[in-house]
Amino acid sequence: MSAPVDSERKGHKRKLADTFTYSNAVAGTNGGEKETITVQVRRLLSIIKVCTQKTPETVDRVVLRRAAHSLAELSKSEENVDTVVSEGGISHVVPLLTFFPAPSSDSKDRSSEDVEKESCFILGLLAIKPEHQHSIADMGALSGLVGILKRHTDNIGCPMPGASVVRRAADAITNLAHENIPIKSRVRADGGIPPLVVLLEAYDAKVQRAAAGALRTLAFKNEENKNLIVECGALSTLIQMLRAEDMGIHYEAVGVIGNLVHSSLHIKRQVLEEGALQPVIGLLSSSCNESQREAALLLGQFATTEPDYKARIVQRGAVPPLITMLGAADSQLKEMAAFALGRLAQNRDNQAGIMQAGGLQPLLELLQSKQGTLQHNAAFALYGLADNEDNVAEIIRQGGVSLLQEADLIVQASKDCVQKTIKRLEDKIQGNVLKQILYAMHSSQATDKTMQQRVAVALAWLGKEADLRQSFVDRRGLDVLLELLTDQRRDASSHKEAAAAIFELAKKIPATAAIDCAPAEPPSHVYLGEQYVNNQTLSDVTFLVEGKEFYAHRIALLASSDIFRAMFDGHYKEKEASIIPVPNISFRVFESMMRAIYTKSTEVTSDIAEELLRAADQYMLDDLKHLCEESISQGLTMENLTETYDLAENFNAPQLGRRCALFALEHYVELSEGTPQSSWSQLMLRMMPKLKSFLTEELVKINVPTTPCA
């Protein structure tokens, strides 16, 4: 590739050298003196002015052409454009378009057309800057450019002597009308559209491309121009151009058609009726990225014409090349392919076809891109695919749920679309779809752990409460998630995914709500009330705690727990004792424990919660234990998690242990990053049996009918 580039650069330098050598000679300057750009422009414009003051018959055409050519070379640099304009370049160059009479078709002297060609080139270069477009048009350039086009519309089926000037004229119109609605309308008013349509059939391929390029610009967001282009019969020629081997021709042609059909349903229908569909699909396999991109965009527009066109496009072979384009290096190519697939995926049969052709995975991967429009087109296509029940199981098997949830989306519309897709999947996971998913998880146990885990994760997030027992107990989905969480061969992201899924599953189970601190009230309980706490009235037993006396009543203690019942109604020495010493407990904690026995409740502050839990466990006071578990769980932090879980295990506090496990799942990322791997893994392994036990117990209760009260 380097050789052609070098050759082109050398050729360009030779032209500039020839130009400036001639210019210096005309001006009588020393070739070694360096002129400023302004001086060069003024000198060249002076030559043009002198020449145009003569008659076409007497002017030195070679001098005029060379001056125009030199000015064109200067105008190629955007830095020089304003200088050319400010020095009067427009007013000097526009008259050159009509200075010479048209040469006869058999004339061998084409020097006048050479001047016109350079003039068109200059005006096209100046028009690249939008601020100069109206000045050029107001000077009368449009009528001159259109006149050049019109006089070359005869004998277009054979080689055209003035092909280069026609091409430059069409290019100038393209630049003048670029994103300029008033000038687009003025070109139409000056009669520029009909000759451009005729020139689409020119013998010279470059003329075809230039004419199509101009029509493409004129058609963009201009309804009157679009209608006139169609009325002039351009469609049939443009459709034939789609099949051209010349990449430049079919690129411009598909671009014209794309602008014609944009927001114009009647033109879109006419384009399809004239047979554009198949050649546009053919361009999806072109070696020209630009043609592929335009073809994909056009197919997306065709898909919205009539409902049956979505199916026709797929039936004619559009899906495989579109999916191939999703993997292209060109981001715009991927964007347009996703756009087209998104429109096609609004048809139920197409949804299944796109999945079958392998479209899911590349669309999921595009969600990870850093471009908002690319993400959005992919998200919209996935939303369509999720509408088909036959696709749901495959989306889950390929990890689609996790990828949808984890996508870092830029545009809010994309975020909304992804949430709707997830909700759509959730709604469809029932009946036969659920059976497909469960079969995939069950049948994959021995062969494909990854697929099995993807299914379990998806069901944890999207499964309905009524189906949880079947999914996670009967089909062992809970075992799958726990294995994924504790398998040291898996990476951190897999562990994180499993932790989040188990936590989500736990949230769906009513037992994972706040610890129920309301005590059971069997008939044997006797609550004497606050007024009897440490009250000597009717007291029949005294406890000695930290040297202080605490007055109590056996009847209340006997009813509170088996420990006190054995103490006062068994064969222990405390049965007959009037004063009982109580070691290893603070008076404040003992008083709080007694208040719970007498009143059903007590304030469990954080500073005594752990000691009170030990006392509740020692004296088998389950209601008090629940109060302590709740208080301690409210103070869980990443720093005290291990210590708290040890406490739960040592003092038989299963609800506190459960809350520790749920806390670990909820804050898995922070904990795993802030704790040495070995100790963190050991803690998780310790928690898992109890976590599994209580989740299984609660899952089994789902859908189990309760026995009605007698």
Side-chain angles (χ1 to χ4, degrees):
M1 293 296 291
S2 60
V5 172
D6 291 341
S7 299
E8 182 178 340
R9 288 177 177 171
K10 289 177 182 177
H12 187 197
K13 289 178 180 177
R14 281 199 298 271
K15 291 179 182 178
L16 289 175
D18 292 344
T19 298
F20 294 129
T21 299
Y22 168 74
S23 300
N24 291 341
V26 171
T29 60
N30 187 326
E33 295 179 6
K34 185 176 181 180
E35 293 181 317
T36 64
I37 295 300
T38 301
V39 170
Q40 292 179 51
V41 170
R42 287 175 180 172
R43 176 166 46 75
L44 294 172
L45 292 177
S46 176
I47 294 171
I48 293 173
K49 181 178 180 181
V50 170
C51 289
T52 53
Q53 289 174 346
K54 300 180 180 180
T55 63
E57 294 77 17
T58 60
V59 69
D60 188 334
R61 298 188 179 196
V62 174
V63 171
L64 182 55
R65 182 189 67 79
R66 289 183 176 178
H69 176 74
S70 298
L71 188 61
E73 291 295 326
L74 288 174
S75 301
K76 285 181 179 179
S77 173
E78 190 173 342
E79 297 176 353
N80 298 337
V81 167
D82 290 338
T83 301
V84 174
V85 172
S86 64
E87 293 298 326
I90 296 174
S91 61
H92 284 74
V93 174
V94 169
L96 295 179
L97 299 175
T98 55
F99 182 71
F100 294 102
S104 61
S105 58
D106 58 352
S107 174
K108 295 182 179 180
D109 183 7
R110 316 303 297 187
S111 57
S112 62
E113 289 188 337
D114 290 338
V115 173
E116 292 172 350
K117 178 184 71 173
E118 298 295 348
S119 303
C120 293
F121 191 27
I122 294 169
L123 295 174
L125 293 170
L126 300 183
I128 290 175
K129 284 200 169 184
E131 59 267 30
H132 302 318
Q133 291 171 346
H134 283 288
S135 298
I136 296 170
D138 292 343
M139 194 61 64
L142 292 179
S143 59
L145 294 168
V146 171
I148 292 173
L149 298 178
K150 286 181 176 179
R151 73 170 187 252
H152 289 86
T153 54
D154 295 331
N155 301 319
I156 58 173
C158 57
M160 185 186 299
S164 59
V165 67
V166 174
R167 178 164 57 89
R168 292 299 190 194
D171 289 343
I173 290 175
T174 300
N175 289 354
L176 282 167
H178 179 66
E179 296 185 357
N180 194 316
I181 294 175
I183 289 183
K184 291 178 184 180
S185 298
R186 290 173 67 174
V187 172
R188 181 183 70 253
D190 282 348
I193 289 177
L196 285 170
V197 171
V198 172
L199 290 169
L200 292 175
E201 300 187 66
Y203 180 86
D204 189 291
K206 292 182 179 179
V207 173
Q208 291 181 36
R209 291 200 299 267
L215 290 172
R216 178 178 186 168
T217 298
L218 295 172
F220 185 65
K221 295 184 178 180
N222 192 301
E223 291 301 315
E224 293 83 358
N225 283 2
K226 290 197 286 189
N227 290 329
L228 181 56
I229 291 169
V230 174
E231 290 169 8
C232 289
L235 291 183
S236 60
T237 305
L238 288 169
I239 292 171
Q240 294 305 315
M241 292 169 69
L242 296 176
R243 294 186 168 92
E245 293 183 6
D246 187 315
M247 291 189 296
I249 291 177
H250 58 62
Y251 164 65
E252 294 293 356
V254 73
V256 179
I257 294 174
N259 286 350
L260 288 173
V261 305
H262 181 70
S263 301
S264 298
L265 183 59
H266 67 288
I267 296 179
K268 195 184 303 182
R269 286 173 174 157
Q270 190 171 343
V271 167
L272 288 167
E273 288 169 1
E274 296 210 21
L277 183 55
Q278 199 59 49
V280 171
I281 292 174
L283 287 180
L284 295 176
S285 302
S286 168
S287 58
C288 174
N289 285 358
E290 290 79 5
S291 293
Q292 286 182 291
R293 184 176 66 243
E294 294 294 334
L297 174 61
L298 193 51
L299 287 175
Q301 294 172 322
F302 285 166
T304 62
T305 308
E306 302 289 351
D308 62 336
Y309 267 105
K310 294 181 178 69
R312 290 188 195 179
I313 293 169
V314 173
Q315 290 166 358
R316 288 170 176 256
V319 169
L322 285 171
I323 292 174
T324 300
M325 290 164 61
L326 293 177
D330 187 329
S331 62
Q332 290 184 328
L333 204 57
K334 293 189 283 193
E335 179 184 333
M336 289 301 102
F339 169 80
L341 288 169
R343 270 60 189 171
L344 295 174
Q346 305 312 303
N347 172 281
R348 181 175 177 80
D349 291 327
N350 290 354
Q351 293 159 359
I354 292 169
M355 287 286 292
Q356 186 65 30
L360 175 61
Q361 199 58 44
L363 286 170
L364 288 171
E365 291 172 1
L366 291 184
L367 288 180
Q368 315 306 316
S369 73
K370 301 301 181 183
Q371 298 182 36
T373 53
L374 185 52
Q375 287 181 341
H376 186 68
N377 286 346
F380 184 71
L382 290 167
Y383 176 70
L385 297 183
D387 191 38
N388 192 312
E389 289 82 357
D390 292 334
N391 291 345
V392 174
E394 186 61 25
I395 292 173
I396 289 175
R397 281 195 292 262
Q398 293 198 29
V401 173
S402 296
L403 290 172
L404 287 166
Q405 291 174 324
E406 295 170 3
D408 184 14
L409 302 171
I410 299 170
V411 181
Q412 184 60 44
S414 302
K415 298 177 183 178
D416 296 340
C417 187
V418 164
Q419 289 306 309
K420 290 178 181 178
T421 302
I422 294 173
K423 183 63 169 64
R424 177 172 276 184
L425 291 170
E426 181 179 3
D427 292 342
K428 292 184 181 298
I429 298 179
Q430 57 183 320
N432 288 332
V433 173
L434 178 61
K435 290 179 181 178
Q436 292 177 34
I437 296 169
L438 291 176
Y439 178 79
M441 181 170 67
H442 182 69
S443 63
S444 301
Q445 287 183 0
T447 58
D448 192 342
K449 290 289 186 183
T450 299
M451 182 184 296
Q452 185 185 21
Q453 290 159 357
R454 287 171 177 172
V455 172
V457 168
L459 288 174
W461 285 99
L462 306 183
K464 295 175 176 58
E465 182 179 335
D467 301 318
L468 295 181
R469 173 177 175 170
Q470 179 185 12
S471 301
F472 292 97
V473 179
D474 300 344
R475 296 301 182 95
R476 301 184 63 192
L478 180 57
D479 290 340
V480 173
L481 292 177
L482 292 173
E483 180 184 358
L484 177 61
L485 179 62
T486 57
D487 187 350
Q488 298 306 306
R489 295 169 298 180
R490 304 303 298 267
D491 59 21
S493 63
S494 298
H495 295 159
K496 173 187 173 184
E497 183 180 44
I502 298 172
F503 184 70
E504 183 65 22
L505 173 63
K507 288 195 298 183
K508 294 182 177 182
I509 301 174
T512 61
I515 295 171
D516 184 7
C517 300
E521 296 189 30
S524 60
H525 276 203
V526 176
Y527 299 104
L528 297 183
E530 176 71 28
Q531 67 271 26
Y532 287 99
V533 176
N534 199 14
N535 190 331
Q536 195 170 2
T537 303
L538 300 179
S539 171
D540 54 3
V541 63
T542 302
F543 292 98
L544 191 62
V545 184
E546 291 187 331
K548 299 178 183 178
E549 293 183 339
F550 191 98
Y551 301 103
H553 306 79
R554 293 174 186 265
I555 188 173
L557 300 177
L558 281 167
S560 66
S561 79
D562 291 340
I563 296 296
F564 281 117
R565 191 172 299 112
M567 182 184 297
F568 296 121
D569 200 25
H571 302 288
Y572 295 96
K573 61 181 180 179
E574 288 86 358
K575 179 178 181 180
E576 304 298 335
S578 58
I579 297 178
I580 302 173
V582 183
N584 303 322
I585 189 170
S586 68
F587 186 86
R588 182 184 174 194
V589 169
F590 187 82
E591 182 182 36
S592 184
M593 180 181 74
M594 287 298 180
R595 180 167 281 104
I597 292 173
Y598 277 72
T599 68
K600 300 191 298 185
S601 66
T602 187
E603 182 182 6
V604 183
T605 57
S606 59
D607 57 328
I608 65 169
E610 292 186 12
E611 188 178 357
L612 192 57
L613 175 65
R614 286 192 287 269
D617 181 62
Q618 179 180 348
Y619 291 99
M620 297 180 64
L621 300 171
D622 290 340
D623 295 341
L624 177 59
K625 182 180 287 187
H626 292 166
L627 293 173
C628 296
E629 288 178 298
E630 174 64 19
S631 175
I632 295 170
S633 68
Q634 295 298 321
L636 270 174
T637 65
M638 290 185 286
E639 290 74 20
N640 68 16
L641 176 62
T642 301
E643 176 186 333
T644 304
Y645 188 71
D646 290 340
L647 190 73
E649 283 197 318
N650 293 336
F651 296 102
N652 192 29
Q655 294 193 72
L656 179 59
R658 183 191 76 202
R659 292 293 290 271
C660 288
L662 294 177
F663 184 91
L665 294 174
E666 184 178 9
H667 301 278
Y668 184 88
V669 175
E670 303 97 299
L671 286 164
S672 61
E673 292 176 352
T675 308
Q677 182 62 38
S678 58
S679 58
W680 170 241
S681 300
Q682 185 178 8
L683 177 62
M684 293 303 298
L685 288 171
R686 286 175 56 201
M687 290 180 172
M688 288 309 101
K690 287 185 171 57
L691 181 64
K692 177 182 178 180
S693 177
F694 98 79
L695 285 176
T696 301
E697 288 174 6
E698 298 303 327
L699 287 166
V700 168
K701 296 176 185 177
I702 295 177
N703 296 334
V704 176
T706 57
T707 303
C709 298

